[in-house]
């Protein structure tokens, strides 16, 4: 395993572990998701550069577009949750009551 591959794998795993174990606030969950998407974007961009193929050059940009859509949706949900519930604590959210 190359050091570059190890660093992107560990960055993705740290984001995944942060999303799994530290789920107290919605904002921290969104930051962990953005860290995971950033590590995936950089890894895919380097992979496309190593392959030197024009077919794989659009994949990182497509991932970046989906990441921007995910970030905007997450921030919209964060604002809506903060307005209705008063905070972004995930423990206060209950799907059974509206």
């Amino acid at each position: 395993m190359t050091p570059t591959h190890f660093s992107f794998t560990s960055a993705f795993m740290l984001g995944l572990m942060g999303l799994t174990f530290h789920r107290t606030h919605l904002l921290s969950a969104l930051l962990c998701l953005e860290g995971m998407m950033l590590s995936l974007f950089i890894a895919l961009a380097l992979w496309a550069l190593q392959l030197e193929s024009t077919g794989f050059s659009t994949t990182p940009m497509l991932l970046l577009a989906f990441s921007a859509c995910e970030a905007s949706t997450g921030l919209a949900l964060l604002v809506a949750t903060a307005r209705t519930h008063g905070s972004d604590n995930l423990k206060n959210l209950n799907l059974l009551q509206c």
Side-chain angles (χ1 to χ4, degrees), residues 73-97:
T73 305
L75 286 177
L77 286 174
L78 177 71
V79 168
T81 302
R83 284 185 180 174
T84 58
H85 294 284
S87 70
D88 67 335
N89 285 336
L90 291 177
K91 293 179 183 176
N92 293 342
L93 300 178
N94 190 0
L95 294 177
L96 297 177
Q97 62 184 14

Side-chain angles (χ1 to χ4, degrees), residues 10-88:
S10 62
F12 182 80
M13 286 302 186
L14 282 174
L16 186 63
M17 285 173 39
L19 184 64
T20 306
F21 295 126
H22 302 292
R23 297 184 316 155
T24 57
H25 295 282
L26 185 59
L27 184 62
S28 64
L30 289 174
L31 283 174
C32 289
L33 281 174
E34 286 303 312
M36 290 169 56
M37 292 302 275
L38 180 64
S39 66
L40 278 177
F41 169 72
I42 294 173
L44 278 176
L46 288 178
W47 182 54
L49 284 175
Q50 287 176 352
L51 289 179
E52 297 176 358
S53 175
T54 58
F56 292 117
S57 63
T58 58
T59 306
M61 296 307 289
L62 186 64
L63 181 74
L64 194 62
F66 283 130
S67 176
C69 293
E70 176 257 334
S72 65
T73 305
L75 286 177
L77 286 174
L78 177 71
V79 168
T81 302
R83 284 185 180 174
T84 58
H85 294 284
S87 70
D88 67 335

